[in-house]
Amino acid sequence: MNAFITAAGAYLPGDPVGNDEIAARLGGVDERGDRLRRRILAANGIAKRHYALDERGRTTELNEELAANALRSMLGDRGYIAEDLDMLATATTQGDLLVPGFASMVHGRLGGGPMQLLSAAGVCASGIAALDAAVAKVRLGDRERVAVVGSELASRWLRASRFNGGNDTDAHFLRWMLSDGAGSVLVEPRPRPDRPSLRVDWVRTVSLAHEHAVCMRAGTDGSSPAAGRTWQDMGSAAAAEQAGMMLLRQDTSALGALAEAGLKEFASLAQRGLIDLKRLDHVLCHYSTNAFRDIVFDQLASTGAQIDTGRWFSNLETRGNTGAASIFIALEECWREGRFEPGQTVLLAVPESGRFSFGFAHLTCVGPEAPQAVQVPERAAVPVRESVAADEGNVFARLDAVWQDFEQRLDEVPVMRRLADGESTLDDYLRLLFNLRQQVADGARWISRAASNFSVDHFDLRSAAIGHSQEEHRDFMMIERDYAACGGSIEAIRNGRKNIGSEALSAYMFHAASQPDPVGLLGAMFVIEGLGTGKAAGWAAQFKEQLGLRDDQVSFLAYHGEADDDHFAKLQAILASPRVDDAAADAIVSTAKIVARLYALQLEELDNV
C-alpha cells in the first residue's frame, strides 16, 4: 500500500519580527552582546521570524496551541475535521510540560475522537521521524488518516532572564537563531481527488551518535553529561538555572563536521539508487544558517556534482529556524504556492546537530485520483517498451514473446478464467490469496540472496536488489490482511503450505539467486513485475465488482497494480543498458521462460500440496 501527503498547514504566531526588533523582544543585550548578535545574524541570513512572545517578553501561546493551530490549518486544506483522524504523530524539542507526552497535550487541545498517538523526541530531525512513523502505519494498512505536526516554542529559552548577563557564544548563537512556529501534513493511503498529492517513496533516518559528542544541548554544564551533573541532579531547578544548565547551547565548531557527515549520508543514499541528483526537481533542506548551506553547496561541487541551486528551497530568511517544524513549514509554503507539479520529485533533508542525526524523505508529485468506472481490457497490455525492435535478437522482442505465451497460459487457469467470465466466487479469491501468500513470503528472501551474490562489477544491480527487498519484505502481510478482511483465518493462512507449483517456483528462485552475479533474475522480475503493472489492477477491479469487496480487501493486488509501474520502469532502464550483452540477454530470457511457466503452474495447482 502506498502513502501520500494530501494536505499541509502551518502556523506562525504574531507578526514577523525583524532583526532590529529582536533585542527589544528578548531583552538583555549590552554593547558586546549586540555586536555578537549582529555577527550571528549576518552569518545565518535570517531577516524575519515569529515569536509567541509579546512586547514585554511574556508567552502568548503554548507550544501545544501552535501545534493545534497548524493541524487545524492542514485539516481545513483537506476539508476534514479532527474527528476524521485516527492517528497523531507529533515532534518537538521540548513540550510545555515534562509529563505527559507532547502528543497527548496536542490531542487534548485539538479534540477529535480516539486515536493513536506518537510523541517523537529529539531536535530538528524528529519531524522526519514522526513522518516516518505515519507513513509506516498507513502503508501497513493500520491507519487511514494520520496527522503529523512539528512544533517549536523556543523563545521561552531565549529570554534575557535565562542568561544571567553572560555572553556565552555557544548559547547566544542559538539565541539569535531560533524562533517559534508549527507545520503539519496529512498522510493517507490514496491521493486526494481534487488536487495533486505527494507520494512518499521512502523515508530514512539515521543517528551517528556513536561517533560524535553532544553538539546542541540543554540540561547540562558540558558537552558530555556525567552522572550527578545534569539539571535533574541539582538541588533545585533554580540551582540548575543559576549554573547555566538551562541554556540552549550549540558547539558551533562542530557545524563543519555536521555538514560533512550529512553529505556522506546523502552520498550513501545516492549510491543505493535512492537519490538521483540530476533528476531531483525540488530539494527542501532545513538548515540553521546560510553558512551551513554554503558548506553543502561547496562540498557537493567539489565532488563534481552539478548543482542547480534554483531547485533548492528554504524559507529560513523569512520564517526563521523553527527546528522540528521547519521542514513542514517549508513544505507548506511550496504546497500553498503550487510549486509541485505531477511527475516532479521532491527531496526533504534535515540535519540535526543534537548528536548528529539526519532525516531524509523522497516524494513524487502525482495528479488527482479521479473516480473511474471498472474497465478491464479483454487482453492486458504487454508490459514491454512501446517501441520494440523488429529483429528477434532484441531482448525486448524476445521477452515480449515470453509474455504472450505466459498470458495465454494465465487465460486458461480455471480461477482466472472464471474471473474473466464474471463468475468468480469469494472462495476463488480466498484460495488465490491463501496460495499466493505461501510463495510471496519467500520473495524478499530470494531477492536478498541475489543481492549478496552480485559482485562489485554489478554494484548497481546489488543496490537495486537491496532496495527492492526492503519494499517487498512485507508483501505477504498485505495478503494476510486481505484474507482476514474477507473472513479468512489468520492462523490458517500463516500455517499454510505451498502447493506443488509454489514449491517449484520458490525452489527455482532460490537456486537462481544463489548463482554468482545472477543477472538472469532480471527475467524473473520481468514476469513478476509485469504481472503487477499488466494484470494486478484489473484483477483487483474485477474481484471488487464481482464480489462487492472493499478497498481494504483487495489492497495487495491494488498496491501492485500501482507500485509495480515504477518498478517496471526501472527494470526497463536496466534491460536497455549496455551491460545486457548477448550472454546476459540469453540468461534473462531463459529465466523469464522458466518463471512464467512455474508461476502459471502455481495458479493451476491451487491447494494441491
Side-chain angles (χ1 to χ4, degrees):
M1 185 176 294
N2 272 325
F4 299 85
I5 292 175
T6 60
Y11 179 75
L12 297 163
D15 296 326
V17 177
N19 287 349
D20 293 336
E21 304 171 70
I22 303 179
R25 189 66 62 96
L26 299 180
V29 180
D30 57 20
E31 183 176 347
R32 179 175 178 274
D34 194 55
R35 288 198 302 271
L36 187 61
R37 175 184 69 87
R38 293 179 184 277
R39 188 168 71 246
I40 292 171
L41 289 172
N44 66 36
I46 301 173
K48 296 179 180 179
R49 77 282 294 146
H50 293 256
Y51 295 126
L53 296 176
D54 62 18
E55 288 75 6
R56 298 176 62 184
R58 298 174 300 189
T59 300
T60 58
E61 296 176 82
L62 295 173
N63 198 1
E64 68 186 56
E65 291 180 282
L66 304 184
N69 284 332
L71 287 163
R72 294 187 186 103
S73 172
M74 176 273 293
L75 291 169
D77 175 47
R78 188 67 175 94
Y80 288 158
I81 57 176
E83 283 76 7
D84 293 318
L85 300 176
D86 53 12
M87 180 175 172
L88 170 64
T90 67
T92 191
T93 302
Q94 178 62 60
D96 302 295
L97 305 179
L98 297 178
V99 178
F102 188 58
S104 293
M105 300 306 295
V106 175
H107 183 201
R109 176 71 59 174
L110 180 67
M115 64 181 72
Q116 181 177 350
L117 299 179
L118 171 74
S119 298
V123 199
C124 306
S126 62
I128 296 292
L131 176 65
D132 191 18
V135 168
K137 297 299 286 187
V138 168
R139 282 181 173 164
L140 283 171
D142 288 349
R143 294 291 179 261
E144 281 285 313
R145 298 188 186 101
V146 183
V148 182
V149 63
S151 185
E152 300 284 14
L153 185 52
S155 59
R156 288 184 295 201
W157 293 76
L158 311 177
R159 289 177 292 199
S161 57
R162 290 192 179 273
F163 284 78
N164 298 322
N167 283 314
D168 185 321
T169 302
D170 282 358
H172 276 270
F173 178 80
L174 292 175
R175 191 181 189 207
W176 310 121
M177 182 84 64
L178 302 176
S179 56
D180 307 335
S184 176
V185 295
L186 182 69
V187 181
E188 297 186 89
R190 288 166 293 278
R192 63 188 291 172
D194 57 334
R195 62 168 293 179
S197 301
L198 295 170
R199 186 184 70 228
V200 183
D201 303 315
W202 51 260
V203 183
R204 298 288 188 276
T205 62
V206 62
S207 164
L208 302 182
H210 64 299
E211 298 176 348
H212 297 275
V214 176
C215 178
M216 179 179 176
R217 73 274 185 194
T220 180
D221 55 1
S223 60
S224 298
R229 290 302 299 171
T230 73
W231 73 275
Q232 295 184 77
D233 299 306
M234 303 300 285
S236 65
E241 183 99 36
Q242 188 64 32
M245 289 187 173
M246 306 312 288
L247 290 176
L248 274 171
R249 290 186 172 87
Q250 173 98 296
D251 181 0
T252 56
S253 66
L255 292 182
L258 179 68
E260 183 177 349
L263 283 168
K264 287 182 179 178
E265 293 303 317
F266 183 94
S268 174
L269 294 172
Q271 189 176 50
R272 292 163 60 189
L274 294 175
I275 294 175
D276 184 345
L277 191 59
K278 295 179 181 178
R279 296 184 180 180
L280 280 176
D281 296 294
H282 305 275
V283 178
L284 276 62
C285 184
H286 162 68
Y287 42 81
S288 58
T289 169
N290 282 342
F292 186 94
R293 175 203 62 191
D294 295 339
I295 292 172
V296 171
F297 284 169
D298 290 345
Q299 292 198 23
L300 280 175
S302 70
T303 66
Q306 298 298 312
I307 307 299
D308 178 1
T309 57
R311 290 180 292 163
W312 291 62
F313 176 83
S314 170
N315 53 12
L316 176 70
E317 295 182 4
T318 57
R319 300 292 187 268
N321 179 357
T322 51
S326 291
I327 197 66
F328 298 132
I329 291 174
L331 184 64
E332 185 276 339
E333 184 171 330
C334 292
W335 177 275
R336 175 167 36 83
E337 294 180 351
R339 290 173 178 257
F340 307 134
E341 298 179 2
Q344 292 184 336
T345 57
V346 183
L347 178 70
L348 308 182
V350 181
E352 174 182 304
S353 62
R355 196 162 182 174
F356 283 38
S357 299
F358 303 91
F360 299 90
H362 192 280
L363 319 173
T364 299
C365 185
V366 299
E369 182 183 73
Q372 297 179 350
V374 176
Q375 295 180 343
V376 182
E378 293 183 5
R379 192 175 190 81
V382 179
V384 294
R385 294 194 307 180
E386 293 181 5
S387 56
V388 176
D391 72 282
E392 295 183 357
N394 180 280
V395 68
F396 288 100
R398 296 169 67 189
L399 288 172
D400 182 25
V402 173
W403 181 262
Q404 296 289 354
D405 179 71
F406 178 46
E407 198 172 39
Q408 290 175 12
R409 288 183 182 275
L410 288 179
D411 289 343
E412 297 306 314
V413 173
V415 68
M416 295 291 100
R417 189 169 60 247
R418 286 193 294 275
L419 181 64
D421 292 341
E423 299 174 354
S424 63
T425 65
L426 183 60
D427 183 59
D428 283 335
Y429 182 55
L430 288 171
R431 290 172 62 227
L432 180 64
L433 294 178
F434 186 96
N435 284 261
L436 283 177
R437 185 267 178 205
Q438 315 314 328
Q439 176 267 318
V440 169
D442 286 342
R445 295 171 57 212
W446 66 255
I447 296 173
S448 297
R449 181 174 295 185
S452 69
N453 283 306
F454 279 116
S455 66
V456 68
D457 292 336
H458 293 81
F459 194 81
D460 57 335
L461 297 183
R462 179 176 182 171
S463 297
I466 292 172
H468 195 61
S469 175
Q470 291 175 326
E471 295 173 351
E472 299 288 326
H473 78 289
R474 290 178 175 170
D475 272 8
F476 73 93
M477 298 173 67
M478 296 174 64
I479 297 178
E480 291 177 355
R481 289 196 300 273
D482 289 353
Y483 188 77
C486 291
S489 164
I490 284 288
E491 182 178 3
I493 194 172
R494 287 180 178 173
N495 293 324
R497 294 171 54 192
K498 297 185 183 77
N499 68 45
I500 60 175
S502 297
E503 287 282 10
L505 177 59
S506 279
Y508 176 75
M509 297 304 287
F510 279 110
H511 165 74
S514 299
Q515 305 309 306
D517 289 331
V519 176
L521 281 176
L522 294 173
M525 301 308 298
F526 170 82
V527 173
I528 296 171
E529 301 298 342
L531 280 169
T533 194
K535 291 288 188 181
W539 290 346
Q542 287 175 296
F543 277 123
K544 281 184 65 177
E545 183 183 45
Q546 294 176 30
L547 305 179
L549 299 179
R550 306 183 306 270
D551 288 345
D552 67 321
Q553 295 171 309
V554 295
S555 64
F556 173 76
L557 292 175
Y559 165 75
H560 283 281
E562 180 176 297
D564 287 355
D565 286 347
D566 180 58
H567 298 162
F568 203 82
K570 294 177 181 177
L571 175 62
Q572 286 179 312
I574 295 172
L575 291 173
S577 69
R579 73 165 53 254
V580 181
D581 55 19
D582 290 344
D586 288 344
I588 290 167
V589 173
S590 175
T591 303
K593 288 180 179 179
I594 296 170
V595 171
R597 183 65 190 93
L598 294 178
Y599 204 103
L601 182 65
Q602 173 181 233
L603 299 182
E604 292 166 1
E605 299 292 345
L606 295 185
D607 306 326
N608 184 8
V609 298

